[in-house]
Amino acid sequence: MDYISVALTANFTAVAATTLLLAIIAFQAFAETWKRYLAIGILGQLIWSSSLLTSYITDINPLVLIHSELLRATLWLFALNGILSIRLTISQWPFKTKLIALSSVGICVSGYALALNQKTPVDALQYTLLVLTMLCLVTTEQVIRNLNSHRMIKLLGLSLTFLFSYDLFMRGASIVLDTTAAPILQGRSALAFVFASLLSLGNLIFNESKNHQNIFSVSRPAAFYSSTILASTIFILSVIFANIFWSNKSYLSTYLFSLTLIFALLLTVSLIISNTFRQNFEVFLSKHFFSLKYDYRLEWLNAIRFLSELNSEKPNYYEQVLDILKSALRSHAGSLWINSDSLIKKVSGELVIENQPNFIEVDEPFVKAMLKESWIFVPNSLDKSLNKNNVLLPDWIKNSTEIWVVAPLIIQMKIVGIVLLSKPRFDTTVTFEDRDLMTNISTQVASHLLLHQQEKVISDSRQMETYNRLSAFIMHDINNVIAQLALIGKNAEKHKDNPAFVTDMIKTVHNATTRMQGLIQKFNPSSKEKRTSFSASDIAAELVQEVSIYSPTPQVTINDDFIIHADRKRLLLALKNLVRNAQEVSPDNGSVRIIIRLENNAKIIVIEDEGNGMTQQFINEQLFRPFVTTKQENGVGIGAYLTKSYLEDIGASLRVSSTLKKGSQFEIAFS
C-alpha cells in the first residue's frame, strides 16, 4: 500500500468521524443553544477535512487548501467566542478576552486579504496561519477559564488544546524545515479522527440538557437487529483492514501507530493534569481489575439496619454503637469516647491501653486535626500518606501496639466522640477503602449520638420544667390554705369566745380540708371514685354558688334536666375549671352562660363565654396539652388537660368551638 492510499484512508476516517460528530451536535443543538456555535466550528473542521481528502483524489488549486485552513481557524474562533458570549455577556468579558477577540478579527481579515492576493508569498500565509492557531489556543484557554465548565466543555477544551497544539507544532516545523513530513500529515489526520470520535462519545455521554427529549425512538427489536447489523459490518471491515495491513505494512503501520500514539498521549496527559480524572481512573481500575476489600452495598445495608435498631433507652446504648463500628471494620476490640462539656471521656469498650487518661481535652492537637481534616489516624502505619499527622498523637496512643485506627465521630463541624479500634484478625493493611468506609459510617453514627445527646437534654429540661410548674401550682394552693389557717390562728386568742368566730373558723377549716382533698384528687386520677346520681340542675346550682364571688356571675339556662352518674366532687372540680376559665377571659360586664339540654338523646352541658376566642390551630394543638398556658402569671396549664382527661374517663366527651373576638363554647356530652 502506497502513501496516497494510506493518506486517503486517514483523511476518509477523519471526514467520516467529523460528519458523524456534526450530525450529533446539530441534533442536540435543538435543545442546547451553545452547541449551535459548536456546530459552526465543527463545520469548519469538516470543510477542511473534506478539502484535504479531495486533494488526494483529484488535483485542486493549492489556494483551496489555504482557504480551507483559514476558514477552519476563523470558524473555530467564531464558535469559541460565541460560546463565551452565551455564558458571559460581552460586557462581562475580562479585558484580556476582549483584546484576544479583537485581535482574532483583525488577523482573520488580514489572512483573507493575503490569501486573495496571488502575489502573496507562501511564508506570509504560513505565518498568518501560525498566529491564527495560537489565537485559537488562547481562546480555548479563555473558554475553559471563564466558564463554569460542564464536563462537555472540559472535554471540548482538552480536545481542542491537543488539536491546535499539534497544528502549532506542524506549522512551526514546516516554517523551520520548509517542508512537512508525510508522518506528520498522517498524524494530523489521525488526530482529527480521534478529536471527532472523542467529542461524539462525549456528546452522547455528557448531555447537559436536563429536559432534552428524543425526537424519535426505535423499538427494542429494531434496535437489536440494527445493532447486530452494525456489529457485523464493523467486524467485516476490521477483517478487510487487517488483511490490507498484513499485505502491505509500510504506510498503514505509520497511520495506525499515529492513532495509537495519540490515544496514549491523550490518556497520559489527562492523567497528569486532571486530578479528578486520575482519581476516577484509579477507582475504575480498582473496581474492575482488582478485588475490593468490602462489599459496600452489603456494608451500608448492615450499618443502616444496625443503626435503625439502636435503642437509646437501653443502658448498653454506647456498647451497641461501638459494636456497629467494630463490625464495619472487622475489629475484635475497641473503645468509644464521647465529648461531654469539652472533655472526651471513655463510655464503653474492652480495649485496655497502658497509661490511658481518664479524659481527652478537645483542644489537644490530634483532636483539632481530626476535626479540621476529618483525619483518621493510623498510629503504626509506615505509609507516608497515612502517618503524616501521627506526630500529633499523644504518647499513650503512639506507644500502644493494640490501637489500629483512631477515628473521629464528626457531625455539623462538631466532634461528638472518638473511636479507637484494634487490629482485625486478618488483612491489617489500612487502605483508602477502610478510610472511606469508616468516614461514611462514623458520620452516620455521629448523627445518632448527637441526636441521643439532644434527646437526653430535652428530656431533662422537660422534666425539670414539669417539676417547676407542678411545684408552683401546688405551692399556690397550699399558700392559700396556709393564709386562711394563719388568719384563724392570728384571731383565735382574741375571738375564741365569740360563737360567730367559732362558726366561721369551722367553715374555714372545712373549706381548707376540701381544697387540699381536691388538690390530691386532681393529681391522683386513680384515687377511688364515689359515684352517685344527681341532676344536672343541682350541680349547676352548686357550681354557680362556688364561683359567684368572681365576675361575671354565670347565668344558668335549663332547657331539659337530666341525671348524671359520676363522682360529684370531681365533676364539680372539672366544671369549675371550665367556668373559671370562662370568667377570666370574659369582661366584667360580659356574660358566662351554662346551658343544660337534651339533644338527640344526648345529655349536654354547654359553657359559653364572651372572651377573645381561640384559633382552630390553638384548639387542635395547644389547648389540651399539659403545661401549656396563655395566662401570664398564675397559669400552670394543666386545668384543661385534667378536665378533658376526667370527662373521658367517665365516658363523656368535650367539644370546643370558638370565634375570634366573639367567644368560645365548651360542650360536654354525657353518655
Side-chain angles (χ1 to χ4, degrees):
M1 178 178 287
D2 58 7
Y3 164 72
I4 297 299
S5 300
V6 176
L8 279 170
T9 303
N11 284 284
F12 178 76
T13 55
V15 170
T18 307
T19 304
L20 176 63
L21 173 61
L22 183 60
I24 294 172
I25 294 297
F27 175 72
Q28 293 181 344
F30 287 102
E32 300 171 59
T33 306
W34 73 273
K35 288 189 177 178
R36 297 171 190 174
Y37 284 102
L38 179 58
I40 293 172
I42 295 169
L43 177 62
Q45 186 78 8
L46 179 60
I47 293 172
W48 165 78
S49 298
S50 301
S51 63
L52 202 59
L53 175 63
T54 305
S55 69
Y56 288 102
I57 297 174
T58 182
D59 292 332
I60 62 173
N61 190 332
L63 284 176
V64 174
L65 293 177
I66 297 293
H67 281 286
S68 68
E69 293 277 3
L70 281 170
L71 182 62
R72 171 176 175 261
T74 302
L75 292 181
W76 270 123
L77 286 169
F78 177 79
L80 291 171
N81 283 288
I83 293 171
L84 264 176
S85 67
I86 288 181
R87 300 300 178 93
L88 288 172
T89 60
I90 296 178
S91 61
Q92 294 176 312
W93 286 12
F95 175 76
K96 179 182 175 182
T97 306
K98 294 178 181 177
L99 183 61
I100 293 169
L102 288 174
S103 301
S104 300
V105 173
I107 298 297
C108 287
V109 172
S110 301
Y112 282 109
L114 291 173
L116 292 173
N117 187 353
Q118 296 182 355
K119 296 180 180 180
T120 301
V122 176
D123 288 347
L125 292 173
Q126 289 284 12
Y127 280 112
T128 302
L129 290 172
L130 181 68
V131 173
L132 281 175
T133 303
M134 292 173 64
L135 286 171
C136 287
L137 263 175
V138 175
T139 307
T140 301
E141 183 266 343
Q142 289 296 306
V143 169
I144 298 173
R145 179 186 295 274
N146 292 298
L147 298 186
N148 183 14
S149 300
H150 177 258
R151 287 178 293 179
M152 186 56 209
I153 294 286
K154 292 180 180 178
L155 178 62
L156 175 65
L158 184 64
S159 302
L160 286 175
T161 300
F162 278 103
L163 194 68
F164 296 136
S165 297
Y166 192 92
D167 284 358
L168 201 62
F169 159 73
M170 184 201 71
R171 299 195 190 287
S174 177
I175 291 171
V176 173
L177 302 175
D178 206 24
T179 185
T180 305
I184 294 178
L185 294 174
Q186 287 186 5
R188 195 184 186 204
S189 299
L191 183 58
F193 166 71
V194 173
F195 167 80
S197 301
L198 282 177
L199 286 188
S200 296
L201 289 173
N203 274 281
L204 295 174
I205 296 171
F206 306 137
N207 192 357
E208 187 179 12
S209 176
K210 302 298 182 185
N211 301 318
H212 177 71
Q213 296 181 349
N214 293 330
I215 293 177
F216 66 91
S217 60
V218 295
S219 64
R220 292 192 177 192
F224 171 76
Y225 290 119
S226 300
S227 301
T228 304
I229 294 170
L230 179 61
S232 302
T233 304
I234 292 173
F235 176 74
I236 293 170
L237 289 174
S238 300
V239 172
I240 293 172
F241 276 107
N243 180 59
I244 294 172
F245 173 69
W246 188 260
S247 302
N248 200 333
K249 304 175 184 177
S250 57
Y251 285 106
L252 186 57
S253 63
T254 304
Y255 177 59
L256 294 177
F257 173 76
S258 299
L259 277 178
T260 306
L261 180 62
I262 289 169
F263 271 115
L265 285 173
L266 281 171
L267 179 61
T268 303
V269 174
S270 299
L271 289 172
I272 292 173
I273 67 175
S274 175
N275 184 53
T276 304
F277 181 73
R278 185 166 59 252
Q279 291 176 350
N280 291 337
F281 189 71
E282 180 182 354
V283 172
F284 173 79
L285 291 178
S286 299
K287 286 183 177 180
H288 298 284
F289 296 96
F290 299 96
S291 60
L292 291 174
K293 190 173 183 179
Y294 299 102
D295 183 342
Y296 288 100
R297 175 181 172 277
L298 183 61
E299 296 297 337
W300 191 244
L301 289 175
N302 286 337
I304 291 175
R305 178 168 59 86
F306 289 142
L307 287 171
S308 65
E309 293 173 355
L310 279 176
N311 188 345
S312 59
E313 296 180 359
K314 288 187 176 181
N316 66 337
Y317 171 77
Y318 289 120
E319 292 179 19
Q320 299 175 58
V321 172
L322 181 58
D323 287 341
I324 293 174
L325 295 168
K326 289 183 343 187
S327 174
L329 292 182
R330 315 292 189 268
S331 177
H332 66 278
S335 62
L336 180 64
W337 298 61
I338 296 299
N339 184 5
S340 176
D341 299 326
S342 299
L343 295 178
I344 304 174
K345 301 176 182 179
K346 182 179 177 180
V347 295
S348 179
E350 62 279 5
L351 191 60
V352 180
I353 306 166
E354 188 177 354
N355 299 323
Q356 174 182 290
N358 294 326
F359 59 84
I360 302 169
E361 295 184 3
V362 293
D363 58 354
E364 288 200 24
F366 85 101
V367 178
K368 288 182 177 179
M370 286 194 291
L371 181 60
K372 183 179 179 180
E373 305 177 31
S374 297
W375 186 259
I376 296 177
F377 285 95
V378 186
N380 299 311
S381 175
L382 299 177
D383 188 337
K384 291 183 179 180
S385 65
L386 297 177
N387 65 17
K388 68 175 185 177
N389 287 329
N390 282 1
V391 293
L392 303 175
L393 288 170
D395 291 337
W396 63 275
I397 294 180
K398 285 182 184 177
N399 299 332
S400 174
T401 57
E402 294 293 325
I403 300 176
W404 181 49
V405 294
V406 181
L409 304 175
I410 299 173
I411 191 72
Q412 298 174 358
M413 292 305 295
K414 176 183 178 182
I415 187 157
V416 180
I418 296 173
V419 62
L420 281 63
L421 297 178
S422 65
K423 294 179 181 179
R425 303 188 189 281
F426 306 101
D427 194 5
T428 61
T429 304
V430 177
T431 65
F432 72 93
E433 292 186 65
D434 298 297
R435 296 184 64 178
D436 289 348
L437 181 64
M438 190 65 191
T439 299
N440 289 323
I441 292 182
S442 65
T443 301
Q444 296 300 316
V445 169
S447 67
H448 274 260
L449 288 171
L450 183 61
L451 183 62
H452 172 67
Q453 292 175 347
Q454 292 172 343
E455 285 177 348
K456 190 173 184 301
V457 170
I458 292 172
S459 176
D460 292 345
S461 299
R462 284 178 175 173
Q463 288 181 359
M464 184 57 66
E465 183 181 358
T466 301
Y467 171 78
N468 292 333
R469 285 173 176 264
L470 279 173
S471 298
F473 178 82
I474 294 171
M475 291 304 297
H476 178 265
D477 270 24
I478 291 176
N479 282 333
N480 288 337
V481 173
I482 290 173
Q484 289 178 328
L485 296 178
L487 186 62
I488 293 174
K490 183 178 180 180
N491 296 307
E493 186 66 29
K494 183 178 179 180
H495 301 287
K496 62 182 179 180
D497 296 328
N498 186 344
F501 173 77
V502 173
T503 302
D504 288 342
M505 182 181 67
I506 293 171
K507 288 182 179 179
T508 301
V509 172
H510 178 266
N511 180 264
T513 304
T514 303
R515 291 189 68 172
M516 295 305 296
Q517 288 175 340
L519 182 65
I520 292 172
Q521 284 186 340
K522 183 177 288 189
F523 291 100
N524 185 18
S526 61
S527 60
K528 186 176 180 181
E529 278 200 351
K530 296 179 180 179
R531 292 201 175 192
T532 57
S533 298
F534 47 87
S535 66
S537 57
D538 287 345
I539 192 119
E542 186 176 355
L543 177 60
V544 170
Q545 186 179 1
E546 287 269 346
V547 300
S548 59
I549 59 175
Y550 306 103
S551 60
T553 303
Q555 304 296 318
V556 179
T557 301
I558 303 174
N559 296 332
D560 304 286
D561 201 2
F562 51 82
I563 301 299
I564 301 173
H565 301 280
D567 186 309
R568 189 183 183 98
K569 288 184 178 180
R570 295 189 67 179
L571 179 60
L572 181 65
L573 186 63
L575 294 174
K576 182 180 177 180
N577 181 70
L578 295 178
V579 172
R580 284 292 299 119
N581 285 342
Q583 288 177 309
E584 289 177 359
V585 299
S586 299
D588 291 342
N589 58 353
S591 66
V592 174
R593 294 176 293 279
I594 301 173
I595 303 170
I596 300 172
R597 69 171 186 264
L598 290 172
E599 186 177 301
N600 298 326
N601 297 323
K603 305 170 182 179
I604 294 174
I605 296 178
V606 180
I607 298 172
E608 295 180 345
D609 63 60
E610 293 182 348
N612 289 325
M614 300 173 287
T615 64
Q616 191 61 42
Q617 182 179 6
F618 178 83
I619 295 171
N620 295 338
E621 300 178 4
Q622 303 290 328
L623 180 59
F624 297 112
R625 284 185 62 193
F627 306 112
V628 175
T629 181
T630 57
K631 299 176 183 178
Q632 299 299 320
E633 297 179 357
N634 299 324
V636 179
I638 59 172
Y641 168 74
L642 292 174
T643 297
K644 186 173 186 292
S645 298
Y646 174 70
L647 291 173
E648 290 175 349
D649 286 343
I650 63 174
S653 63
L654 176 60
R655 294 189 293 269
V656 183
S657 60
S658 185
T659 303
L660 291 175
K661 306 299 182 181
K662 291 186 177 181
S664 303
Q665 184 182 79
F666 290 78
E667 182 180 287
I668 304 168
F670 296 90
S671 57

